Amino acid sequence: MNTPPRPPEAERTDGSAVRIGALVPLSRPGWVEAGRHLLAGLELAVGEVNDAGGITGRPLELVVRDTAADPQRAAAAVDELAGLGVAALAGEYHSVVARAAAARADALGLPFLCSSAVLDALTEQPTEWAARLSPPQSRGWQVYADFLLAAGHSRIAVATQPSVYWASGTHILRDHLTPRGGTVIELDMSTLTPTAVCDELVGHRATALLLLVGHPEPAVPIVQSVRRDQRLAEVTIGAPAGQPEFGEWATLLGDDGAAVPFLRYRPERLGPLGTRVETTLRERLAEAPSFVAFEGYDTITVLADLLLTHGTDRARTAASWPRVEVAGTRGQIRFSRVPGINVWQWAMPPIQVVDRDPEHPDRFRIRHAG
């Protein structure tokens, strides 16, 4: 007697769970606080999908793997998750890690919705298998450069470390600022101490210093050194990558951490869905949710809609990115092909430049919108 072959996980109709693989940085050197917020958003949305009946009666299950900001670890996790039969892949915060995951997902034919990574070159070649919610780095960092120019900054120093992500950010800033009269001065933090950074700022007559470095080291000691140097009282410190978004920044720096503008991907006012999700996430996290938590929630919202509408076959999911029309926490989500971007991209996620209010460091001020 011949036993018919068992259908792959993504095609089962026996009531077993529909699995989504989740890549999240949950241990150092990954940005653990960002990972915790991302996971909270993913998990909240999964719970709500299941409360509403799951995927045509089948429960949605999140299979979480910690990337620890390690590209090789992430690629191995993609292999494992593909073998476990996940219908799709979600998450990741660190751009270099997401790039490794996207390359592996593309090779395996596994749909990947990237939640938070912004590096323009998420894949080297155009792919049908990957889509992204967060804006490309080029768009967000150009908005940040416009903010600097509008604030009167033309001599801008960047404290940077070796990284594809930081190098890309520096390149975007220089290309956008130089034709508009700006100058970008690179300070290599592999050779400079925080105290030496202060001397460099004075010597170059910089009026703004951008932190293109890891958090908390060396970002926190750099801020502390600049804040304590009376020669630099008028220098603006900025962090386009978003370090001040999270509570750890305020805990470590106190008042010194205020008035440090950063990029945040949420609208000035949330609609009813965003407001409800914000309230629930605040209860779960015991603090205000970051935009990263909303990205996590929206990721599952999109994937659940695809799975409900088009089924759990991986190829059908990947073919359906351009048909997405989903109400997310931060606006209506649609994917399109954006020039210069090799994945399906939410073309118009909201972008703000905000900082912590010096009078109330637990509150944020909107300084610019793009």
Side-chain angles (χ1 to χ4, degrees), residues 133 135 139 264-268 270 291 295 329-332 346-352 370:
L133 284 175
R139 179 167 173 250
R264 181 171 74 164
Y265 308 127
R266 59 175 287 174
E268 181 177 358
L270 295 169
F291 69 85
E295 289 174 328
T329 59
R330 298 162 299 135
Q332 197 74 6
W346 183 18
M348 295 302 294
I351 298 176
Q352 300 173 340

Side-chain angles (χ1 to χ4, degrees), residues 36-367:
R36 187 170 66 90
H37 281 236
L38 177 58
L39 183 58
L42 293 167
E43 290 179 335
L44 174 60
V46 167
E48 292 186 358
V49 169
N50 286 333
D51 288 344
I55 306 300
T56 59
R58 298 170 62 188
L60 192 61
E61 179 185 342
L62 206 61
V63 185
V64 181
R65 292 295 180 266
D66 173 19
T67 64
D70 184 336
Q72 292 182 337
R73 183 166 172 171
V78 175
D79 285 345
E80 180 197 1
L81 291 165
L84 291 173
V86 299
L89 194 65
E92 194 45 45
Y93 177 81
H94 296 284
S95 282
V96 177
V97 179
R99 187 172 65 164
R104 197 69 196 126
D106 180 56
L108 294 172
L110 179 60
F112 174 33
L113 180 50
C114 180
S115 304
S116 298
V118 300
L119 195 66
D120 281 33
L122 194 60
T123 58
E124 293 299 326
Q125 301 296 328
T127 177
E128 299 297 320
W129 294 99
R132 174 167 54 190
L133 284 175
S134 51
Q137 187 181 17
S138 55
R139 179 167 173 250
W141 287 48
Q142 285 175 10
V143 169
Y144 196 92
D146 287 337
F147 158 73
L148 292 172
L149 291 170
H153 297 292
S154 60
R155 297 188 61 80
I156 298 149
V158 295
T160 188
Q161 292 176 307
S163 162
V164 172
Y165 176 65
W166 299 128
S168 173
T170 301
H171 180 75
I172 292 165
L173 291 169
R174 179 173 285 115
D175 280 358
H176 196 72
L177 290 166
T178 301
R180 295 163 176 81
T183 300
V184 175
I185 304 140
E186 289 190 57
L187 305 179
D188 183 357
M189 294 312 301
S190 63
T191 62
L192 294 173
T193 65
T195 300
V197 167
C198 296
D199 294 334
E200 292 288 331
L201 294 174
V202 172
H204 287 288
R205 296 179 289 108
T207 62
L209 169 67
L210 306 187
L211 303 172
L212 275 56
V213 294
H215 172 75
E217 297 288 340
V220 168
I222 292 172
V223 173
Q224 291 170 332
S225 293
V226 173
R227 294 294 198 213
R228 285 157 177 70
D229 193 320
Q230 293 301 313
R231 299 173 299 172
L232 305 174
E234 301 302 317
V235 168
T236 292
I237 303 174
Q243 296 94 324
E245 168 83 3
F246 299 97
E248 184 184 25
W249 175 272
T251 299
L252 293 174
L253 282 165
D255 292 344
D256 285 346
V260 179
F262 63 93
L263 285 166
R264 181 171 74 164
Y265 308 127
R266 59 175 287 174
E268 181 177 358
R269 289 182 176 83
L270 295 169
L273 173 61
T275 300
R276 177 181 64 76
V277 169
E278 181 178 45
T279 299
T280 306
L281 285 171
R282 185 184 294 270
E283 293 172 354
R284 290 192 172 207
L285 291 164
E287 62 181 348
S290 69
F291 69 85
V292 178
F294 290 104
E295 289 174 328
Y297 184 95
D298 288 342
T299 299
I300 296 299
T301 300
V302 169
L303 289 176
D305 181 79
L306 283 173
L307 296 170
L308 279 165
T309 305
H310 303 287
T312 57
D313 177 76
R314 292 172 177 174
R316 284 200 299 270
T317 297
S320 302
W321 299 123
R323 293 193 283 275
V324 167
E325 181 77 28
V326 174
T329 59
R330 298 162 299 135
Q332 197 74 6
I333 298 171
R334 304 180 186 88
F335 295 110
S336 61
R337 287 298 192 184
V338 174
I341 306 300
N342 289 329
V343 301
W344 288 97
Q345 176 70 53
W346 183 18
M348 295 302 294
I351 298 176
Q352 300 173 340
V353 179
V354 303
D355 66 6
R356 290 181 176 271
D357 188 337
E359 299 297 323
H360 304 280
D362 60 332
R363 301 179 189 174
F364 296 107
R365 304 182 300 182
I366 298 175
R367 305 289 302 278

